[in-house]
Amino acid sequence: MMECEFGWRAGLLGGARMKVFVIGATGGVGRRLVRELVQRGDDVGGLHRRPDQASALRDMGAEPFDADLATMTEGDLASVVAGTDALVFTAGAGGGSAEMTTGIDGHGVSKSIAAAQAADVRRFILVSAFPEAWRERPRSEGFEHYLAVKKQADVELAASDLDWVILRPAELTDRTGSGTVSLSRALIHTTVSRDNVAATLAELVHHPTVSRLVLELTDGPHRIPEAIQALKV
Ligand SMILES: NC(=O)c1ccc[n+]([C@@H]2O[C@H](COP(=O)([O-])OP(=O)(O)OC[C@H]3O[C@@H](n4cnc5c(N)ncnc54)[C@H](OP(=O)(O)O)[C@@H]3O)[C@@H](O)[C@H]2O)c1
């Protein structure tokens, strides 16, 4: 077992209780995921970049780590994630400038992959996007750049030696989660609630047999645990 400077101890992957680190823990998906994992009894750590976000994470039962993904080093991140069983990356520049998109959705993922490898955190779940999202809408340079950066991050993670899962949610909504989804290697792009994305991520964290797969996710008819079982991996 590995122990990091914060005293986390690695548990058993897929066991009843896991240590999970969330990058993007204060975001729309991230904070829902933190809540889900804490409710399941997991030990959860989360990155945040504003000091005032620490108490919200603590109130949810997670351990906050204050750092800016854009400027922290790979070594800093490795020491923060060391000792965890799984890392979930759900950060994003959220429609910021092209530079910010490259910095967070692109380089932020590269840095996180390198940190996971350095810290020997094998399980890495990446929230990505449908490459063909919004083809029916007028093109914008910023959105095309976002899709290209997301795809490049997928390519980099898929080429790594990690125990990875790439989850591509459709357009995110704040509708209350139905607990039912469609989850498959290929789907038509529609919408999915952030609640359902978070619940699916939490379930994937606990299903180590689902590995080295790109999965697409929309709201749909299947209960989340059953949708994962149906992947037949
Ligand atoms: N919107 C969609 O329809 C859609 C569709 C498919 C996939 N996605 C992807 O789904 C993921 C989650 O989306 P969401 O709606 O939850 O996004 P969100 O609410 O914008 O959350 C993004 C998270 O990233 C964090 N972050 C950004 N820059 C950071 C930095 N420099 N250092 C540390 N943390 C930083 C944010 O921190 P702060 O709280 O400090 O801002 C926040 O926690 C994203 O990767 C997004 O690209 C979105």
Side-chain angles (χ1 to χ4, degrees):
M1 284 200 296
M2 176 180 275
E3 191 174 20
C4 78
E5 63 184 272
F6 300 100
W8 285 30
R9 280 195 170 277
L12 286 174
L13 187 64
R17 183 175 184 176
M18 292 179 63
K19 301 195 185 280
V20 186
F21 196 84
V22 182
I23 297 178
T26 56
V29 169
R31 61 176 182 272
R32 289 168 171 85
L33 174 62
V34 167
R35 230 178 269 127
E36 285 274 344
L37 293 168
V38 169
Q39 274 169 12
R40 295 179 77 122
D42 293 332
D43 289 338
V44 183
L47 201 70
H48 68 96
R49 56 180 165 162
R50 292 201 320 266
D52 58 298
Q53 294 167 320
S55 55
L57 283 171
R58 246 183 237 110
D59 289 349
M60 286 192 285
E63 189 173 358
F65 295 96
D66 185 359
D68 188 324
L69 182 61
T71 52
M72 72 192 302
T73 67
E74 172 194 318
D76 291 340
L77 189 54
S79 70
V80 167
V81 301
T84 62
D85 300 307
L87 192 158
V88 181
F89 187 104
T90 184
S97 65
E99 197 183 357
M100 285 163 68
T101 299
T102 304
I104 301 304
D105 302 79
H107 296 157
V109 175
S110 307
K111 195 182 288 182
S112 303
I113 292 171
Q117 288 168 326
D120 200 25
V121 176
R122 306 309 304 164
R123 187 131 177 101
F124 192 122
I125 301 181
L126 174 64
V127 178
S128 182
F130 276 59
E132 76 279 19
W134 294 359
R135 295 303 79 190
E136 72 283 10
R137 298 191 186 181
R139 305 284 154 93
S140 85
E141 218 176 287
F143 192 67
E144 296 307 304
H145 177 68
Y146 166 78
L147 288 184
V149 168
K150 288 295 216 198
K151 183 62 191 277
Q152 184 53 46
D154 291 1
V155 169
E156 187 177 339
L157 182 60
S160 80
D161 60 354
L162 294 172
D163 164 16
W164 56 265
V165 179
I166 293 166
L167 184 69
R168 293 176 172 166
E171 180 179 353
L172 301 176
T173 74
D174 284 333
R175 282 195 296 268
T176 303
S178 57
T180 63
V181 298
S182 291
L183 177 70
S184 175
R185 291 160 177 84
L187 291 171
I188 299 297
H189 180 258
T190 53
T191 61
V192 62
S193 68
R194 287 180 170 85
D195 284 351
N196 280 348
V197 177
T200 304
L201 287 167
E203 202 69 27
L204 286 171
V205 163
H206 284 269
H207 276 77
T209 53
V210 180
S211 182
R212 302 182 78 79
L213 269 185
V214 180
L215 296 170
E216 297 187 340
L217 179 73
T218 65
D219 288 328
H222 309 292
R223 290 186 60 252
I224 291 165
E226 284 146 27
I228 290 176
Q229 290 298 341
L231 293 170
K232 293 193 175 57
V233 288

